[in-house]
Amino acid sequence: MTAARVLVVEDDALIRESVVAALIGAGFVVESAGAAEGVPALAADFRPDLALLDVMLPGAADGFALARALRRERDLPVIFLTARDAGADRLAGFEAGADDYVVKPFIVEELVARVRAVLRRLGRLPSVLDLGDLRLDEQSSQAARGGAVLDLTATEYRLLLFLARERGRILSKTQLLTQVWGYEDYDPNLVEVHVSALRRKLEEHGPRILHTVRGFGYVLRPAEPAVVA
């Protein structure tokens, strides 16, 4: 299965750029626009697996109208982005066919997690993640390196999966606590202990790919395949 495709329509350039960068970093293929005009044609060419739509768009069509227009052509999951948090606004979003509704300001990592949750629920995410000699099977919650199955605890597997999804990106202890354990007000030594155990198990079957960036956090950089001359 190829990487999932996400269409982002958001008129705020800073928000749009940060969301696009985070989605690309998480392995998605992304197209974006700053207004509703021309988006149906863009979607017809791009054929996204999911659309992230700002509700308050410039021009005649808001995000709700754009969602209805896109869904006339094909069944497309939609997550609305909005600054409006009133119950009536949420109800309007779900009546317009929202699969989720995210209120601004939001944490970008949480938005990416919500995108994954919707796509996974609809069977539009690959269940096997291959990164160099590392393979993670989300169906069986099993990881292998160089063909050898790794003996990981449930927490070590979740940690490795998050690092793998965010491969190449430096992640702080706070980010790891929030995304893997679900909270951030906790002893950061918890992260160090699990990273050390995970690193040891990974290095039983190959060179170091889980690196510490002092003062910043941790990053997973999959080993490049050897080139035979």
Side-chain angles (χ1 to χ4, degrees):
M1 187 182 293
T2 58
R5 306 164 78 83
V6 180
L7 174 64
V8 179
V9 185
E10 163 63 59
D11 69 322
D12 186 305
L14 289 177
I15 295 177
R16 184 173 67 251
E17 289 168 8
S18 65
V19 169
V20 168
L23 289 168
I24 292 173
F28 294 100
V29 178
V30 185
E31 281 283 2
S32 66
E37 185 179 0
V39 168
L42 173 63
D45 289 336
F46 182 54
R47 298 194 61 80
D49 296 292
L50 180 143
L52 284 173
L53 305 180
D54 183 20
V55 172
M56 301 287 288
L57 291 171
D62 62 9
F64 297 152
L66 177 58
R68 288 190 288 269
L70 292 174
R71 282 183 156 167
R72 279 197 291 270
E73 301 300 322
R74 57 193 288 256
D75 182 24
L76 180 65
V78 172
I79 296 177
F80 287 116
L81 308 176
T82 181
R84 300 187 302 195
D85 193 24
D89 294 320
R90 287 178 175 269
L91 181 59
F94 287 114
E95 286 179 346
D99 291 271
D100 204 347
Y101 191 98
V102 178
V103 178
K104 302 175 187 177
F106 52 80
I107 299 171
V108 175
E109 290 86 357
E110 180 183 341
L111 177 62
V112 173
R114 290 189 182 218
V115 168
R116 284 202 185 97
V118 170
L119 290 171
R120 188 175 295 111
R121 188 170 68 242
L122 298 172
R124 301 191 188 189
L125 272 187
S127 61
V128 176
L129 187 60
D130 285 309
L131 303 171
D133 61 355
L134 180 66
R135 166 169 283 208
L136 291 93
D137 188 332
E138 295 190 49
Q139 290 292 101
S140 63
S141 296
Q142 191 175 76
R145 188 169 189 203
V149 175
L150 304 179
D151 182 19
L152 303 180
T153 66
T155 301
E156 288 167 354
Y157 176 79
R158 291 197 306 273
L159 176 60
L160 179 58
L161 181 61
F162 182 60
L163 286 162
R165 286 171 172 166
E166 304 293 335
R167 57 198 175 276
R169 181 181 172 204
I170 300 171
L171 300 166
S172 69
K173 291 179 182 178
T174 299
Q175 287 174 306
L176 293 173
L177 280 169
T178 302
Q179 297 298 322
V180 178
W181 282 268
Y183 43 77
E184 52 187 272
D185 294 326
Y186 207 82
D187 185 356
N189 289 332
L190 181 69
V191 176
E192 293 179 14
V193 169
H194 283 83
V195 166
S196 295
L198 176 58
R199 181 183 284 141
R200 184 175 64 254
K201 294 177 180 181
L202 287 168
E203 291 179 9
E204 289 175 359
H205 304 284
R208 177 160 296 189
I209 57 174
L210 176 50
H211 303 274
T212 299
V213 182
R214 295 195 181 280
F216 293 94
Y218 304 96
V219 59
L220 186 74
R221 294 194 183 102
E224 294 293 333
V227 177
V228 179

PDB file of all heavy atoms in Angstrom, residues 142-174:
ATOM      1  N   GLN A 142       4.240  -6.150  16.129  1.00  0.00           N
ATOM      2  CA  GLN A 142       5.530  -6.842  16.147  1.00  0.00           C
ATOM      3  C   GLN A 142       6.554  -6.052  15.343  1.00  0.00           C
ATOM      4  O   GLN A 142       6.233  -5.475  14.306  1.00  0.00           O
ATOM      5  CB  GLN A 142       5.374  -8.245  15.561  1.00  0.00           C
ATOM      6  CG  GLN A 142       6.573  -9.153  15.771  1.00  0.00           C
ATOM      7  CD  GLN A 142       6.284 -10.564  15.276  1.00  0.00           C
ATOM      8  OE1 GLN A 142       6.289 -10.827  14.075  1.00  0.00           O
ATOM      9  NE2 GLN A 142       6.021 -11.466  16.199  1.00  0.00           N
ATOM     10  N   ALA A 143       7.793  -6.023  15.850  1.00  0.00           N
ATOM     11  CA  ALA A 143       8.877  -5.340  15.151  1.00  0.00           C
ATOM     12  C   ALA A 143       9.997  -6.326  14.881  1.00  0.00           C
ATOM     13  O   ALA A 143      10.254  -7.232  15.684  1.00  0.00           O
ATOM     14  CB  ALA A 143       9.390  -4.169  15.980  1.00  0.00           C
ATOM     15  N   ALA A 144      10.660  -6.147  13.741  1.00  0.00           N
ATOM     16  CA  ALA A 144      11.778  -7.011  13.383  1.00  0.00           C
ATOM     17  C   ALA A 144      12.885  -6.159  12.782  1.00  0.00           C
ATOM     18  O   ALA A 144      12.629  -5.131  12.145  1.00  0.00           O
ATOM     19  CB  ALA A 144      11.342  -8.084  12.393  1.00  0.00           C
ATOM     20  N   ARG A 145      14.130  -6.602  12.995  1.00  0.00           N
ATOM     21  CA  ARG A 145      15.264  -5.920  12.391  1.00  0.00           C
ATOM     22  C   ARG A 145      16.165  -6.954  11.745  1.00  0.00           C
ATOM     23  O   ARG A 145      16.571  -7.929  12.377  1.00  0.00           O
ATOM     24  CB  ARG A 145      16.053  -5.121  13.434  1.00  0.00           C
ATOM     25  CG  ARG A 145      17.104  -4.255  12.748  1.00  0.00           C
ATOM     26  CD  ARG A 145      17.750  -3.258  13.641  1.00  0.00           C
ATOM     27  NE  ARG A 145      18.566  -2.359  12.819  1.00  0.00           N
ATOM     28  CZ  ARG A 145      19.594  -1.658  13.260  1.00  0.00           C
ATOM     29  NH1 ARG A 145      19.934  -1.699  14.545  1.00  0.00           N
ATOM     30  NH2 ARG A 145      20.284  -0.890  12.437  1.00  0.00           N
ATOM     31  N   GLY A 146      16.462  -6.737  10.461  1.00  0.00           N
ATOM     32  CA  GLY A 146      17.278  -7.690   9.724  1.00  0.00           C
ATOM     33  C   GLY A 146      16.659  -9.073   9.703  1.00  0.00           C
ATOM     34  O   GLY A 146      17.358 -10.086   9.650  1.00  0.00           O
ATOM     35  N   GLY A 147      15.324  -9.127   9.747  1.00  0.00           N
ATOM     36  CA  GLY A 147      14.618 -10.409   9.719  1.00  0.00           C
ATOM     37  C   GLY A 147      14.441 -11.047  11.083  1.00  0.00           C
ATOM     38  O   GLY A 147      13.717 -12.036  11.221  1.00  0.00           O
ATOM     39  N   ALA A 148      15.073 -10.497  12.122  1.00  0.00           N
ATOM     40  CA  ALA A 148      14.975 -11.055  13.474  1.00  0.00           C
ATOM     41  C   ALA A 148      13.897 -10.307  14.254  1.00  0.00           C
ATOM     42  O   ALA A 148      13.923  -9.076  14.342  1.00  0.00           O
ATOM     43  CB  ALA A 148      16.311 -10.943  14.197  1.00  0.00           C
ATOM     44  N   VAL A 149      12.949 -11.056  14.814  1.00  0.00           N
ATOM     45  CA  VAL A 149      11.881 -10.444  15.602  1.00  0.00           C
ATOM     46  C   VAL A 149      12.456  -9.902  16.907  1.00  0.00           C
ATOM     47  O   VAL A 149      13.215 -10.588  17.599  1.00  0.00           O
ATOM     48  CB  VAL A 149      10.767 -11.472  15.895  1.00  0.00           C
ATOM     49  CG1 VAL A 149       9.708 -10.870  16.816  1.00  0.00           C
ATOM     50  CG2 VAL A 149      10.125 -11.942  14.594  1.00  0.00           C
ATOM     51  N   LEU A 150      12.104  -8.661  17.244  1.00  0.00           N
ATOM     52  CA  LEU A 150      12.590  -8.021  18.460  1.00  0.00           C
ATOM     53  C   LEU A 150      11.671  -8.337  19.633  1.00  0.00           C
ATOM     54  O   LEU A 150      10.441  -8.278  19.504  1.00  0.00           O
ATOM     55  CB  LEU A 150      12.665  -6.502  18.268  1.00  0.00           C
ATOM     56  CG  LEU A 150      13.511  -5.992  17.101  1.00  0.00           C
ATOM     57  CD1 LEU A 150      13.465  -4.471  17.040  1.00  0.00           C
ATOM     58  CD2 LEU A 150      14.954  -6.468  17.221  1.00  0.00           C
ATOM     59  N   ASP A 151      12.263  -8.679  20.766  1.00  0.00           N
ATOM     60  CA  ASP A 151      11.501  -8.990  21.971  1.00  0.00           C
ATOM     61  C   ASP A 151      11.237  -7.696  22.735  1.00  0.00           C
ATOM     62  O   ASP A 151      11.968  -7.328  23.654  1.00  0.00           O
ATOM     63  CB  ASP A 151      12.288  -9.985  22.838  1.00  0.00           C
ATOM     64  CG  ASP A 151      11.521 -10.397  24.080  1.00  0.00           C
ATOM     65  OD1 ASP A 151      10.282 -10.214  24.093  1.00  0.00           O
ATOM     66  OD2 ASP A 151      12.148 -10.888  25.037  1.00  0.00           O
ATOM     67  N   LEU A 152      10.160  -6.983  22.343  1.00  0.00           N
ATOM     68  CA  LEU A 152       9.853  -5.682  22.907  1.00  0.00           C
ATOM     69  C   LEU A 152       8.661  -5.765  23.856  1.00  0.00           C
ATOM     70  O   LEU A 152       7.731  -6.544  23.635  1.00  0.00           O
ATOM     71  CB  LEU A 152       9.522  -4.672  21.800  1.00  0.00           C
ATOM     72  CG  LEU A 152      10.566  -4.439  20.711  1.00  0.00           C
ATOM     73  CD1 LEU A 152      10.054  -3.403  19.723  1.00  0.00           C
ATOM     74  CD2 LEU A 152      11.899  -4.012  21.304  1.00  0.00           C
ATOM     75  N   THR A 153       8.692  -4.935  24.892  1.00  0.00           N
ATOM     76  CA  THR A 153       7.506  -4.768  25.718  1.00  0.00           C
ATOM     77  C   THR A 153       6.492  -3.928  24.943  1.00  0.00           C
ATOM     78  O   THR A 153       6.821  -3.316  23.916  1.00  0.00           O
ATOM     79  CB  THR A 153       7.845  -4.054  27.037  1.00  0.00           C
ATOM     80  OG1 THR A 153       8.256  -2.705  26.730  1.00  0.00           O
ATOM     81  CG2 THR A 153       8.974  -4.775  27.782  1.00  0.00           C
ATOM     82  N   ALA A 154       5.242  -3.866  25.435  1.00  0.00           N
ATOM     83  CA  ALA A 154       4.212  -3.072  24.762  1.00  0.00           C
ATOM     84  C   ALA A 154       4.618  -1.602  24.695  1.00  0.00           C
ATOM     85  O   ALA A 154       4.427  -0.937  23.669  1.00  0.00           O
ATOM     86  CB  ALA A 154       2.885  -3.229  25.484  1.00  0.00           C
ATOM     87  N   THR A 155       5.217  -1.093  25.777  1.00  0.00           N
ATOM     88  CA  THR A 155       5.633   0.314  25.794  1.00  0.00           C
ATOM     89  C   THR A 155       6.791   0.548  24.832  1.00  0.00           C
ATOM     90  O   THR A 155       6.818   1.560  24.113  1.00  0.00           O
ATOM     91  CB  THR A 155       6.046   0.738  27.211  1.00  0.00           C
ATOM     92  OG1 THR A 155       4.936   0.555  28.091  1.00  0.00           O
ATOM     93  CG2 THR A 155       6.462   2.203  27.239  1.00  0.00           C
ATOM     94  N   GLU A 156       7.749  -0.365  24.783  1.00  0.00           N
ATOM     95  CA  GLU A 156       8.876  -0.224  23.852  1.00  0.00           C
ATOM     96  C   GLU A 156       8.385  -0.245  22.410  1.00  0.00           C
ATOM     97  O   GLU A 156       8.884   0.512  21.574  1.00  0.00           O
ATOM     98  CB  GLU A 156       9.888  -1.341  24.087  1.00  0.00           C
ATOM     99  CG  GLU A 156      10.680  -1.182  25.376  1.00  0.00           C
ATOM    100  CD  GLU A 156      11.442  -2.432  25.768  1.00  0.00           C
ATOM    101  OE1 GLU A 156      11.279  -3.493  25.098  1.00  0.00           O
ATOM    102  OE2 GLU A 156      12.192  -2.376  26.756  1.00  0.00           O
ATOM    103  N   TYR A 157       7.394  -1.084  22.120  1.00  0.00           N
ATOM    104  CA  TYR A 157       6.853  -1.128  20.761  1.00  0.00           C
ATOM    105  C   TYR A 157       6.179   0.199  20.409  1.00  0.00           C
ATOM    106  O   TYR A 157       6.391   0.750  19.318  1.00  0.00           O
ATOM    107  CB  TYR A 157       5.857  -2.273  20.587  1.00  0.00           C
ATOM    108  CG  TYR A 157       5.215  -2.269  19.217  1.00  0.00           C
ATOM    109  CD1 TYR A 157       5.896  -2.766  18.110  1.00  0.00           C
ATOM    110  CD2 TYR A 157       3.954  -1.700  19.018  1.00  0.00           C
ATOM    111  CE1 TYR A 157       5.323  -2.715  16.849  1.00  0.00           C
ATOM    112  CE2 TYR A 157       3.387  -1.650  17.762  1.00  0.00           C
ATOM    113  CZ  TYR A 157       4.073  -2.157  16.681  1.00  0.00           C
ATOM    114  OH  TYR A 157       3.517  -2.098  15.429  1.00  0.00           O
ATOM    115  N   ARG A 158       5.361   0.739  21.327  1.00  0.00           N
ATOM    116  CA  ARG A 158       4.696   2.025  21.066  1.00  0.00           C
ATOM    117  C   ARG A 158       5.723   3.133  20.872  1.00  0.00           C
ATOM    118  O   ARG A 158       5.564   3.999  20.004  1.00  0.00           O
ATOM    119  CB  ARG A 158       3.745   2.387  22.219  1.00  0.00           C
ATOM    120  CG  ARG A 158       2.517   1.505  22.317  1.00  0.00           C
ATOM    121  CD  ARG A 158       1.437   2.169  23.182  1.00  0.00           C
ATOM    122  NE  ARG A 158       1.940   2.547  24.499  1.00  0.00           N
ATOM    123  CZ  ARG A 158       1.962   1.747  25.551  1.00  0.00           C
ATOM    124  NH1 ARG A 158       1.502   0.497  25.451  1.00  0.00           N
ATOM    125  NH2 ARG A 158       2.405   2.182  26.719  1.00  0.00           N
ATOM    126  N   LEU A 159       6.774   3.107  21.669  1.00  0.00           N
ATOM    127  CA  LEU A 159       7.838   4.106  21.539  1.00  0.00           C
ATOM    128  C   LEU A 159       8.519   3.994  20.185  1.00  0.00           C
ATOM    129  O   LEU A 159       8.726   5.004  19.486  1.00  0.00           O
ATOM    130  CB  LEU A 159       8.846   3.918  22.672  1.00  0.00           C
ATOM    131  CG  LEU A 159      10.094   4.800  22.665  1.00  0.00           C
ATOM    132  CD1 LEU A 159       9.721   6.275  22.729  1.00  0.00           C
ATOM    133  CD2 LEU A 159      11.016   4.429  23.824  1.00  0.00           C
ATOM    134  N   LEU A 160       8.863   2.782  19.785  1.00  0.00           N
ATOM    135  CA  LEU A 160       9.519   2.579  18.493  1.00  0.00           C
ATOM    136  C   LEU A 160       8.600   2.975  17.344  1.00  0.00           C
ATOM    137  O   LEU A 160       9.040   3.595  16.367  1.00  0.00           O
ATOM    138  CB  LEU A 160       9.950   1.115  18.353  1.00  0.00           C
ATOM    139  CG  LEU A 160      10.629   0.740  17.035  1.00  0.00           C
ATOM    140  CD1 LEU A 160      11.880   1.575  16.799  1.00  0.00           C
ATOM    141  CD2 LEU A 160      10.968  -0.753  17.016  1.00  0.00           C
ATOM    142  N   LEU A 161       7.310   2.650  17.454  1.00  0.00           N
ATOM    143  CA  LEU A 161       6.367   2.984  16.395  1.00  0.00           C
ATOM    144  C   LEU A 161       6.255   4.491  16.226  1.00  0.00           C
ATOM    145  O   LEU A 161       6.264   5.007  15.097  1.00  0.00           O
ATOM    146  CB  LEU A 161       5.000   2.377  16.709  1.00  0.00           C
ATOM    147  CG  LEU A 161       3.896   2.610  15.668  1.00  0.00           C
ATOM    148  CD1 LEU A 161       4.283   2.012  14.318  1.00  0.00           C
ATOM    149  CD2 LEU A 161       2.579   2.019  16.162  1.00  0.00           C
ATOM    150  N   PHE A 162       6.184   5.223  17.343  1.00  0.00           N
ATOM    151  CA  PHE A 162       6.095   6.689  17.239  1.00  0.00           C
ATOM    152  C   PHE A 162       7.367   7.266  16.641  1.00  0.00           C
ATOM    153  O   PHE A 162       7.324   8.141  15.765  1.00  0.00           O
ATOM    154  CB  PHE A 162       5.823   7.295  18.615  1.00  0.00           C
ATOM    155  CG  PHE A 162       5.675   8.790  18.579  1.00  0.00           C
ATOM    156  CD1 PHE A 162       4.679   9.387  17.828  1.00  0.00           C
ATOM    157  CD2 PHE A 162       6.542   9.607  19.285  1.00  0.00           C
ATOM    158  CE1 PHE A 162       4.535  10.770  17.779  1.00  0.00           C
ATOM    159  CE2 PHE A 162       6.421  10.990  19.249  1.00  0.00           C
ATOM    160  CZ  PHE A 162       5.413  11.571  18.493  1.00  0.00           C
ATOM    161  N   LEU A 163       8.521   6.779  17.096  1.00  0.00           N
ATOM    162  CA  LEU A 163       9.793   7.250  16.540  1.00  0.00           C
ATOM    163  C   LEU A 163       9.884   6.924  15.048  1.00  0.00           C
ATOM    164  O   LEU A 163      10.395   7.729  14.253  1.00  0.00           O
ATOM    165  CB  LEU A 163      10.957   6.593  17.287  1.00  0.00           C
ATOM    166  CG  LEU A 163      11.231   7.111  18.705  1.00  0.00           C
ATOM    167  CD1 LEU A 163      12.075   6.103  19.475  1.00  0.00           C
ATOM    168  CD2 LEU A 163      11.927   8.463  18.659  1.00  0.00           C
ATOM    169  N   ALA A 164       9.395   5.755  14.660  1.00  0.00           N
ATOM    170  CA  ALA A 164       9.451   5.347  13.251  1.00  0.00           C
ATOM    171  C   ALA A 164       8.545   6.215  12.390  1.00  0.00           C
ATOM    172  O   ALA A 164       8.900   6.605  11.282  1.00  0.00           O
ATOM    173  CB  ALA A 164       9.069   3.875  13.124  1.00  0.00           C
ATOM    174  N   ARG A 165       7.358   6.525  12.901  1.00  0.00           N
ATOM    175  CA  ARG A 165       6.442   7.387  12.149  1.00  0.00           C
ATOM    176  C   ARG A 165       7.014   8.792  11.966  1.00  0.00           C
ATOM    177  O   ARG A 165       6.753   9.462  10.971  1.00  0.00           O
ATOM    178  CB  ARG A 165       5.103   7.467  12.879  1.00  0.00           C
ATOM    179  CG  ARG A 165       4.245   6.206  12.757  1.00  0.00           C
ATOM    180  CD  ARG A 165       3.061   6.302  13.682  1.00  0.00           C
ATOM    181  NE  ARG A 165       2.109   5.213  13.487  1.00  0.00           N
ATOM    182  CZ  ARG A 165       1.135   4.924  14.336  1.00  0.00           C
ATOM    183  NH1 ARG A 165       0.990   5.652  15.433  1.00  0.00           N
ATOM    184  NH2 ARG A 165       0.306   3.935  14.096  1.00  0.00           N
ATOM    185  N   GLU A 166       7.794   9.244  12.956  1.00  0.00           N
ATOM    186  CA  GLU A 166       8.393  10.571  12.911  1.00  0.00           C
ATOM    187  C   GLU A 166       9.878  10.497  12.554  1.00  0.00           C
ATOM    188  O   GLU A 166      10.670  11.355  12.945  1.00  0.00           O
ATOM    189  CB  GLU A 166       8.217  11.260  14.277  1.00  0.00           C
ATOM    190  CG  GLU A 166       6.790  11.348  14.758  1.00  0.00           C
ATOM    191  CD  GLU A 166       5.937  12.270  13.913  1.00  0.00           C
ATOM    192  OE1 GLU A 166       6.509  13.177  13.274  1.00  0.00           O
ATOM    193  OE2 GLU A 166       4.703  12.092  13.888  1.00  0.00           O
ATOM    194  N   ARG A 167      10.255   9.478  11.797  1.00  0.00           N
ATOM    195  CA  ARG A 167      11.658   9.210  11.468  1.00  0.00           C
ATOM    196  C   ARG A 167      12.347  10.462  10.928  1.00  0.00           C
ATOM    197  O   ARG A 167      11.783  11.220  10.134  1.00  0.00           O
ATOM    198  CB  ARG A 167      11.747   8.081  10.450  1.00  0.00           C
ATOM    199  CG  ARG A 167      10.970   8.366   9.168  1.00  0.00           C
ATOM    200  CD  ARG A 167      10.726   7.070   8.408  1.00  0.00           C
ATOM    201  NE  ARG A 167       9.895   7.250   7.242  1.00  0.00           N
ATOM    202  CZ  ARG A 167       8.563   7.265   7.289  1.00  0.00           C
ATOM    203  NH1 ARG A 167       7.937   7.161   8.438  1.00  0.00           N
ATOM    204  NH2 ARG A 167       7.866   7.400   6.182  1.00  0.00           N
ATOM    205  N   GLY A 168      13.600  10.642  11.377  1.00  0.00           N
ATOM    206  CA  GLY A 168      14.382  11.780  10.929  1.00  0.00           C
ATOM    207  C   GLY A 168      14.087  13.067  11.669  1.00  0.00           C
ATOM    208  O   GLY A 168      14.768  14.068  11.457  1.00  0.00           O
ATOM    209  N   ARG A 169      13.095  13.050  12.540  1.00  0.00           N
ATOM    210  CA  ARG A 169      12.704  14.248  13.284  1.00  0.00           C
ATOM    211  C   ARG A 169      13.131  14.101  14.742  1.00  0.00           C
ATOM    212  O   ARG A 169      12.882  13.065  15.367  1.00  0.00           O
ATOM    213  CB  ARG A 169      11.194  14.435  13.199  1.00  0.00           C
ATOM    214  CG  ARG A 169      10.673  15.656  13.923  1.00  0.00           C
ATOM    215  CD  ARG A 169       9.169  15.716  13.791  1.00  0.00           C
ATOM    216  NE  ARG A 169       8.626  16.769  14.642  1.00  0.00           N
ATOM    217  CZ  ARG A 169       7.390  16.792  15.093  1.00  0.00           C
ATOM    218  NH1 ARG A 169       6.567  15.809  14.790  1.00  0.00           N
ATOM    219  NH2 ARG A 169       6.963  17.774  15.843  1.00  0.00           N
ATOM    220  N   ILE A 170      13.773  15.130  15.285  1.00  0.00           N
ATOM    221  CA  ILE A 170      14.198  15.099  16.686  1.00  0.00           C
ATOM    222  C   ILE A 170      12.976  15.318  17.576  1.00  0.00           C
ATOM    223  O   ILE A 170      12.245  16.296  17.411  1.00  0.00           O
ATOM    224  CB  ILE A 170      15.270  16.170  16.972  1.00  0.00           C
ATOM    225  CG1 ILE A 170      16.505  15.928  16.094  1.00  0.00           C
ATOM    226  CG2 ILE A 170      15.654  16.171  18.453  1.00  0.00           C
ATOM    227  CD1 ILE A 170      17.516  17.052  16.155  1.00  0.00           C
ATOM    228  N   LEU A 171      12.758  14.390  18.510  1.00  0.00           N
ATOM    229  CA  LEU A 171      11.596  14.435  19.396  1.00  0.00           C
ATOM    230  C   LEU A 171      12.061  14.639  20.834  1.00  0.00           C
ATOM    231  O   LEU A 171      12.938  13.921  21.321  1.00  0.00           O
ATOM    232  CB  LEU A 171      10.798  13.135  19.280  1.00  0.00           C
ATOM    233  CG  LEU A 171      10.260  12.840  17.878  1.00  0.00           C
ATOM    234  CD1 LEU A 171       9.789  11.404  17.779  1.00  0.00           C
ATOM    235  CD2 LEU A 171       9.115  13.795  17.537  1.00  0.00           C
ATOM    236  N   SER A 172      11.454  15.591  21.521  1.00  0.00           N
ATOM    237  CA  SER A 172      11.827  15.880  22.905  1.00  0.00           C
ATOM    238  C   SER A 172      11.230  14.835  23.846  1.00  0.00           C
ATOM    239  O   SER A 172      10.308  14.094  23.481  1.00  0.00           O
ATOM    240  CB  SER A 172      11.329  17.267  23.301  1.00  0.00           C
ATOM    241  OG  SER A 172       9.904  17.275  23.382  1.00  0.00           O
ATOM    242  N   LYS A 173      11.737  14.819  25.072  1.00  0.00           N
ATOM    243  CA  LYS A 173      11.180  13.907  26.073  1.00  0.00           C
ATOM    244  C   LYS A 173       9.707  14.224  26.329  1.00  0.00           C
ATOM    245  O   LYS A 173       8.894  13.313  26.524  1.00  0.00           O
ATOM    246  CB  LYS A 173      11.978  14.014  27.375  1.00  0.00           C
ATOM    247  CG  LYS A 173      13.391  13.461  27.274  1.00  0.00           C
ATOM    248  CD  LYS A 173      14.141  13.630  28.587  1.00  0.00           C
ATOM    249  CE  LYS A 173      15.573  13.119  28.465  1.00  0.00           C
ATOM    250  NZ  LYS A 173      16.343  13.327  29.721  1.00  0.00           N
ATOM    251  N   THR A 174       9.367  15.501  26.337  1.00  0.00           N
ATOM    252  CA  THR A 174       7.972  15.885  26.556  1.00  0.00           C
ATOM    253  C   THR A 174       7.077  15.349  25.450  1.00  0.00           C
ATOM    254  O   THR A 174       5.975  14.844  25.706  1.00  0.00           O
ATOM    255  CB  THR A 174       7.836  17.420  26.643  1.00  0.00           C
ATOM    256  OG1 THR A 174       8.608  17.893  27.744  1.00  0.00           O
ATOM    257  CG2 THR A 174       6.392  17.827  26.837  1.00  0.00           C
TER     258      THR A 174
END
